Amino acid sequence: DFSESVLLGLTNEVQAVRKKMEELVPGLDLNDAVDLKQWYLDCYGGQMTDTSSLKGCMNTNPGYAGLTHPCKEEDGKFVPDLKYRYLSEDVPTGMCFNKGLGEILGVPMPMTDKVLDWAQGHIGMEIMVDGKMCGSDIAQTRAPQATGISTLDEFLAAAKIDKAVVAEEAKTLAPSLPPPKETEEKTPFCVLICGGGNAAQVATGMFAAR
């Protein structure tokens, strides 16, 4: 229940960022950025025996059978290894992008703030300070602020989103085009938002460390 509540908070905040982007850029279609439960249904449809809730999707997903959180020995007992890649990689790449864009758009993200504040201490990074993406290690993340971006116009330019072009294309009602063949080297915003499995590991780590 704890992990589900954290994940629902995170995914709802990402949806708020998505909706804000669509409001600010008329014609922009981000419908593929679904919430976490829908992500499970899209990726594991027909494999789960309980799809009534996010918790049910996760607990009955056969893809997770036998998986455990990495642990380490400490003072004669085993504890979660919170420096494992589930946090050390997924937080700087996925969560920091979400929080950074949300900050630019003025979208409140209290659950993301809580998780990021907790996580940065365990992975030995200073990313967020007083709720702002301005920590000394921000350059090591995928947050827009890592490249000096602090406004919507700067973000759109870096992401190669032309508001006029998007609006005009939306009028034609053309079918959705495949994603552009961009790479991380060409644009810093060709990012992979962590999927349900890795997002779950972040919340699981929080639960295990309580």
Side-chain angles (χ1 to χ4, degrees), residues 6-160:
V6 172
L7 291 173
L8 286 173
L10 293 175
T11 193
N12 287 340
E13 290 171 3
V14 171
Q15 289 304 300
V17 172
R18 175 186 70 81
K19 292 176 182 177
K20 189 65 174 180
M21 275 294 294
E22 291 179 329
E23 290 175 9
L24 295 173
V25 184
L28 185 64
D29 184 357
L30 298 177
N31 285 330
D32 286 342
V34 297
D35 63 43
L36 194 50
K37 182 187 175 186
Q38 187 60 50
W39 181 86
Y40 276 102
L41 295 174
D42 291 344
C43 294
Y44 298 98
Q47 301 180 50
M48 301 168 292
T49 57
D50 180 2
T51 59
S52 62
S53 65
L54 176 58
K55 178 182 176 180
C57 290
M58 295 171 66
N59 286 346
T60 63
N61 184 348
Y64 292 165
L67 295 183
T68 57
H69 195 287
C71 292
K72 62 180 180 179
E73 189 171 0
E74 188 175 283
D75 297 328
K77 59 182 179 180
F78 288 99
V79 297
D81 182 0
L82 299 178
K83 285 186 169 59
Y84 195 68
R85 63 181 177 84
Y86 295 143
L87 263 67
S88 64
E89 294 180 8
D90 295 335
V91 168
T93 55
M95 186 170 292
C96 285
F97 175 81
N98 298 340
K99 166 60 181 176
L101 182 54
E103 181 177 305
I104 290 173
L105 302 181
V107 176
M109 305 184 75
M111 181 59 78
T112 301
D113 289 347
K114 182 177 181 179
V115 174
L116 184 52
D117 185 56
W118 169 85
Q120 66 180 358
H122 288 290
I123 60 178
M125 297 179 71
E126 183 187 66
I127 300 169
M128 186 178 68
V129 177
D130 296 329
K132 300 296 183 181
M133 299 295 279
C134 60
S136 58
D137 296 314
I138 192 68
Q140 299 179 42
T141 75
R142 293 283 180 83
Q145 291 81 355
T147 57
I149 291 172
S150 60
T151 68
L152 176 60
D153 287 342
E154 291 172 344
F155 176 79
L156 294 179
K160 301 178 182 179

